[in-house]
């Protein structure tokens, strides 16, 4: 006869048969801890982040574009006022040469038949421009009077780059 004694020693079963010692390891099903994310969860998370990023970036770009328009409007207005104040203070005629094709505006003095550039201003290439002249995108020149007014009024419209939305208008009138 064979007698069998079973002792539990920690995680193993110990079987003692006369003359034979056999160790059997008890196989337990281990529960796998869910410490990671599945591929589907990661993809959903990334898509939500991408959507939020585009919404925030779009809003930021619109604000930056509006800020660029406001800065450009202010710069053009100050440049025009500068020419008018020079003219009024010096009791002299000056010329504003607004070159849309070159994205530049020039403050010019005609002295003894020579044109001397007193100041110049670059205008943003990220903005489209149009005037109220017959040819809307053509360069134009305006002369000031000795009192500081322009001989003929004008308007400069500031558009987005596509040219389908007016953001600002800078106008001067004669008095």
């Amino acid at each position: 006869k064979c007698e069998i004694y079973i002792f539990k020693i920690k995680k193993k079963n110990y079987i003692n048969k006369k003359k034979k010692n056999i160790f059997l390891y008890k196989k337990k099903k281990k529960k796998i801890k869910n410490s990671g994310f599945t591929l589907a969860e990661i993809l959903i998370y990334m898509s939500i982040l991408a959507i939020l990023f585009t919404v925030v970036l779009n809003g930021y770009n619109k604000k930056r574009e509006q800020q660029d328009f406001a800065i450009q409007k202010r710069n053009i207005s100050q440049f025009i006022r500068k020419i008018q104040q020079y003219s009024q203070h010096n009791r002299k005629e000056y010329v504003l040469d607004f070159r849309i094709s070159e994205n530049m505006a020039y403050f010019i003095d005609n002295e003894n038949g020579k044109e001397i550039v007193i100041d110049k201003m670059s205008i943003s290439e990220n903005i489209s421009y149009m005037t109220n002249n017959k040819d809307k995108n053509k360069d134009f020149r305006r002369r000031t009077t000795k009192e500081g007014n322009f001989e003929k009024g004008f308007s400069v419209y500031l558009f987005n780059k596509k040219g389908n939305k007016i953001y600002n208008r800078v106008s001067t009138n004669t008095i």
Side-chain angles (χ1 to χ4, degrees):
K1 283 186 178 177
C2 204
E3 293 179 14
I4 298 175
Y5 299 98
I6 299 176
F7 301 99
K8 284 191 178 179
I9 303 174
K10 292 188 180 173
K11 293 183 180 178
K12 17 182 170 166
N13 287 337
Y14 176 75
I15 301 175
N16 186 3
K17 294 185 179 183
K18 288 184 180 174
K19 298 182 183 176
K20 291 186 181 178
N21 289 333
I22 301 172
F23 289 97
L24 298 174
Y25 290 96
K26 190 175 187 182
K27 292 185 181 178
K28 287 187 178 179
K29 290 184 181 178
K30 293 183 181 178
K31 288 187 177 180
I32 298 174
K33 293 182 182 179
N34 266 348
S35 60
F37 296 103
T38 64
L39 181 60
E41 290 171 336
I42 292 173
L43 290 175
I44 290 170
Y45 178 73
M46 289 176 59
S47 63
I48 290 171
L49 281 179
I51 290 169
L52 288 174
F53 181 73
T54 42
V55 167
V56 169
L57 189 65
N58 191 21
Y60 174 74
N61 285 341
K62 283 183 182 179
K63 284 289 185 190
R64 190 180 61 175
E65 186 178 58
Q66 289 173 349
Q67 185 180 11
D68 288 346
F69 282 113
I71 290 170
Q72 195 61 42
K73 178 183 178 185
R74 184 194 68 218
N75 289 346
I76 292 171
S77 297
Q78 286 177 346
F79 193 73
I80 291 170
R81 274 193 234 112
K82 179 180 181 178
I83 295 170
Q84 289 175 319
Q85 288 173 350
Y86 259 74
S87 178
Q88 187 178 23
H89 180 72
N90 295 332
R91 306 298 262 163
K92 191 174 178 183
E93 293 180 354
Y94 293 101
V95 175
L96 167 66
D97 189 3
F98 202 92
R99 297 185 187 169
I100 296 173
S101 61
E102 297 176 15
N103 291 325
M104 292 293 291
Y106 295 97
F107 174 15
I108 299 173
D109 183 11
N110 284 331
E111 218 174 275
N112 300 328
K114 288 184 177 181
E115 287 189 347
I116 300 170
V117 176
I118 296 174
D119 196 7
K120 62 183 176 180
M121 176 188 77
S122 63
I123 53 181
S124 177
E125 294 177 3
N126 297 329
I127 299 173
S128 296
Y129 302 89
M130 184 179 80
T131 66
N132 61 343
N133 300 325
K134 288 179 185 176
D135 187 0
K136 304 287 185 201
N137 294 319
K138 190 173 181 184
D139 301 345
F140 67 91
R141 293 173 75 115
R142 292 291 188 271
R143 183 176 300 280
T144 63
T145 63
K146 291 180 180 180
E147 291 79 31
N149 299 317
F150 285 97
E151 61 187 6
K152 185 178 176 184
F154 63 91
S155 294
V156 177
Y157 298 93
L158 306 176
F159 287 87
N160 60 356
K161 193 64 178 169
K162 296 176 186 174
N164 58 2
K165 184 176 180 184
I166 297 175
Y167 277 92
N168 289 308
R169 182 182 94 172
V170 179
S171 295
T172 58
N173 297 321
T174 58
I175 297 177

